């Protein structure tokens, strides 16, 4: 199967840190798949995502997007590559420019990548995108401050999807949202994935969320990949002790099913 | 019920700030229409009426040359405030352009600009003004250039700091990730979210710049003596302060009241922008 993303040996150290934030991270992602990159905070999952997104320069290793190596590109070349790869950030309260309205925010990608230079056509496309993320009713002139967290994250998703990327990187896109809203945004991402054939790289610390959305899972701990495989493999038969601990820590919503405790196991 | 009263009270502009706002408005209005509402010709020398005390004909008295002090203050507001406005306009534009350049232009550019601002900050404006007065001849133009030259580094530093801060925000990173180019990034994302602080700083600086310009006129390198500039009026009246205090005190009051009013409004804007500065009383 063709791979949309390949990372190999990605390593990043920050000055003053005792260990690299990410060390020798490698995995492949098939086109149209959803890969969950999980781990606790400090595990290096966000650093890895930032290196893939070209927001952080890796010390070592490479990133291949759709068959083309994209790490170390010039700023201008990278700018063009971003049409194929978009990012949805964790906190929709700070990731949307407060001085831009809905039409400008969602339409910006169409404008800067010269996809739709005609204003009226761009507006129609913005309306279509808003409908796609369930915000068909909103006022195009409204500013982010008048939206709730879930609505803002939908705006951010519409903004990212406007350029029709091959890969969508979601960096903990629901962890700052209410639990009830989390499900809505996750459902939206899942629908979009099947409707648009989108590949999603999903960064999360919540294993339940990843299980729901992703068919491939990569587990990271202390900057290293400790386990990778299909959802069934990782959840059904975890090989690494860290994965087992992580799975045991997930609350089980079924009251008849008693929760396994990490301490009991040891 | 008591809470609703308290909320309503908090929203209202404090009395002092309201008075300051009104004074600022008045001064600006005088700067525009002053020459037309002046009761006498501010430049008409009338030696038979020299150094008359405040009275029904000349409310604020006359100076050594018999010119009406009130008319001169009303007319002079324009000179003083216009010079202040020019200085602030020039320094703000330089500050935004050069400060942004320092913030986003990389380490070498930043280092060069910062060292130049160090030099600019190290030379006092009075000394610069004396230099310009010698080179260009004394006059309000020299004062404007001198104050601008010594004032711009402050704005460069301010804008540089704010722009660097805004560059760190997540919406800027999100724009980079979207593929927004550098120019658009700065013009549409960074600057609109950085320049709010200028409202406050400029208002506060009106007072400071006005004082320096008047001061330069007072020591004789700014507006020259026949001119109805406030500082120049004080300088001209200083020689006869014992026989005609009003010719010195009233322009001085005009400067003091305007400066205090603009400072108060600036402070009020600052608190409005950053409510954590609000004092409980």
């Amino acid at each position: 199967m063709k791979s949309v993303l390949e990372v190999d040996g990605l390593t990043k150290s920050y000055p003053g840190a005792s260990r690299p934030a990410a060390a020798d991270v490698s995995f492949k992602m098939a086109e149209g798949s959803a890969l969950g990159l999980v781990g606790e905070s400090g595990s290096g999952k966000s650093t890895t995502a930032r290196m893939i997104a070209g927001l952080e320069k890796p010390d070592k290793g490479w990133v291949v997007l759709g068959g083309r190596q994209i790490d170390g590109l010039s700023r201008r070349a990278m700018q063009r590559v971003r049409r194929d790869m978009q990012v949805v950030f964790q906190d929709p309260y700070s990731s949307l420019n407060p001085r831009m309205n809905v039409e400008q925010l969602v339409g910006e990608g169409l404008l800067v990548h010269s996809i739709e230079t005609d204003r009226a056509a761009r507006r129609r496309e913005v309306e279509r995108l808003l409908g796609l993320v369930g915000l068909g009713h909103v006022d195009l002139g409204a500013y982010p401050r008048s939206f709730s967290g879930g609505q803002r994250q939908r705006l951010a998703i519409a903004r990212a999807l406007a350029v029709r990327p091959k890969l969508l990187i979601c960096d903990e896109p629901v962890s700052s949202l209410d639990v009830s809203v989390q499900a809505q945004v996750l459902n939206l991402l899942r629908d979009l994935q099947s409707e648009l054939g989108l590949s999603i790289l999903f960064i999360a610390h919540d294993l339940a969320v990843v299980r729901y959305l992703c068919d491939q899972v990569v587990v990271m701990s202390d900057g290293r990949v400790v386990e990778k495989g299909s959802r069934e493999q990782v959840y059904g038969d975890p090989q690494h002790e860290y994965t087992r601990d992580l799975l045991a820590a997930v609350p089980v919503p079924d009251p008849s099913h008693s929760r396994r405790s990490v301490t009991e196991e040891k | 019920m008591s809470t609703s009263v308290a909320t309503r009270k908090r929203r209202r502009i404090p009395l002092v700030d309201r008075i300051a706002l009104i004074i600022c408005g008045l001064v600006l209005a005088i700067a525009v229409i002053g020459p037309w509402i002046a009761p006498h010709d501010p430049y008409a020398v009338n030696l038979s009426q020299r150094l008359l005390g405040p009275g029904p004909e000349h409310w604020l008295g006359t100076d050594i040359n018999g010119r009406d002090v009130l008319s001169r203050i009303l007319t002079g507001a324009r000179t003083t405030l216009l010079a202040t406005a020019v200085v602030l306009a020039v320094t703000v534009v330089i500050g935004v352009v050069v400060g942004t350049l320092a913030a986003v232009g990389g380490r070498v550019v930043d280092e060069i600009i910062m060292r130049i601002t160090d030099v600019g900050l190290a030379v006092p404006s009075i000394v610069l003004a004396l230099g310009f007065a010698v080179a260009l001849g004394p006059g309000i133009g020299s004062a404007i250039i001198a104050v601008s030259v010594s004032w711009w580094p402050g704005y460069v530093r301010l804008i540089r700091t704010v722009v660097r801060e805004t560059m760190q925000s997540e919406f800027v990173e999100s724009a980079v990730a979207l593929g927004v180019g550098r120019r658009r990034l700065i013009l549409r994302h960074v600057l609109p979210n950085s320049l709010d602080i200028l409202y406050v700083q400029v208002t506060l600086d009106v007072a400071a710049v006005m004082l320096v310009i008047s001061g330069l006129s007072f020591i004789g390198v700014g507006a020259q003596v026949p001119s109805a500039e406030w500082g120049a009026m004080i300088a001209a009246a200083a020689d006869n302060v014992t026989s005609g205090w009003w010719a010195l005190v009233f322009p001085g009051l005009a400067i003091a009241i305007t400066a205090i009013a603009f400072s108060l409004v600036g402070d009020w804007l600052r608190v409005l922008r950053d409510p954590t500065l609000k004092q409980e009383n």
Side-chain angles (χ1 to χ4, degrees), chain A residues 50 53-55 75 79 82-83 85-87 89-92 94-100 104-105 108-109 111-113 159-160 163, chain B residues 104 168-185 187-197 199 273:
Chain A
R50 292 175 54 81
L55 298 170
R75 182 160 46 207
Q79 208 176 309
R82 295 191 187 284
R83 195 180 159 170
M85 173 178 66
Q86 282 293 307
V87 185
F89 289 85
Q90 175 173 4
D91 182 5
S94 55
S95 67
L96 296 172
N97 183 344
R99 299 290 172 102
M100 284 170 85
Q104 292 164 333
L105 281 167
E108 187 166 35
L111 185 69
V112 299
H113 289 285
R159 174 173 158 88
V163 300
Chain B
V104 303
Q168 303 297 317
S169 45
E170 204 165 314
F171 64 81
V172 170
E173 185 156 74
S174 127
V176 170
L178 185 74
V180 173
R182 287 252 282 181
R183 233 180 66 152
R184 186 179 166 87
L185 188 74
L187 293 179
R188 290 304 305 273
H189 294 269
V190 177
L191 286 183
N193 288 291
S194 302
L195 300 184
D196 273 2
I197 194 162
Y199 296 126
R273 212 177 142 266

Side-chain angles (χ1 to χ4, degrees), chain B residues 31-212:
Chain B
V32 176
I33 60 164
W36 290 291
I37 57 167
H40 297 273
D41 180 349
Y43 295 106
V45 174
N46 188 342
L47 293 178
S48 65
Q49 303 208 345
R50 51 196 292 184
L51 292 175
L52 293 178
E57 176 61 21
H58 299 286
W59 289 1
L60 302 183
T62 61
D63 67 5
I64 185 76
N65 293 314
R67 294 174 298 208
D68 182 48
V69 172
L70 175 65
S71 302
R72 286 175 66 73
I73 290 176
L74 291 176
T75 314
R78 181 178 284 189
T79 317
T80 307
L81 286 175
L82 199 64
T84 306
V86 171
V87 168
L88 287 173
V90 168
T91 52
V92 163
V93 170
I94 294 174
V96 170
V97 173
V98 181
T100 306
L101 210 65
V104 303
R107 274 181 59 185
V108 177
V109 176
D110 185 34
E111 198 61 29
I112 292 170
I113 291 174
M114 283 303 102
R115 292 301 76 80
I116 295 172
T117 63
D118 283 344
V119 175
L121 286 172
V123 182
S125 55
I126 302 277
V127 176
L128 267 176
L130 289 170
F132 277 106
V134 172
L136 308 172
I140 194 82
S142 302
I144 289 174
I145 294 172
V147 181
S148 300
V149 167
S150 60
W151 219 263
W152 68 271
Y155 277 104
V156 168
R157 296 196 151 221
L158 178 75
I159 296 298
R160 169 180 175 267
T161 309
V162 181
V163 165
R164 281 173 78 132
E165 208 179 291
T166 313
M167 289 291 281
Q168 303 297 317
S169 45
E170 204 165 314
F171 64 81
V172 170
E173 185 156 74
S174 127
V176 170
L178 185 74
V180 173
R182 287 252 282 181
R183 233 180 66 152
R184 186 179 166 87
L185 188 74
I186 288 162
L187 293 179
R188 290 304 305 273
H189 294 269
V190 177
L191 286 183
N193 288 291
S194 302
L195 300 184
D196 273 2
I197 194 162
L198 283 177
Y199 296 126
V200 178
Q201 195 57 43
V202 166
T203 314
L204 286 171
D205 274 0
V206 168
V209 169
M210 208 184 74
L211 288 176
V212 175

Side-chain angles (χ1 to χ4, degrees), chain B residues 226-244:
Chain B
S227 155
E229 201 276 336
W230 293 348
M233 285 170 70
I234 296 175
D239 298 335
N240 338 83
V241 64
T242 45
S243 44

Side-chain angles (χ1 to χ4, degrees), chain A residues 36-49:
Chain A
L37 190 56
V38 292
E40 57 192 13
S41 27
S43 62
K45 58 189 193 307
S46 277
T47 305
T48 304

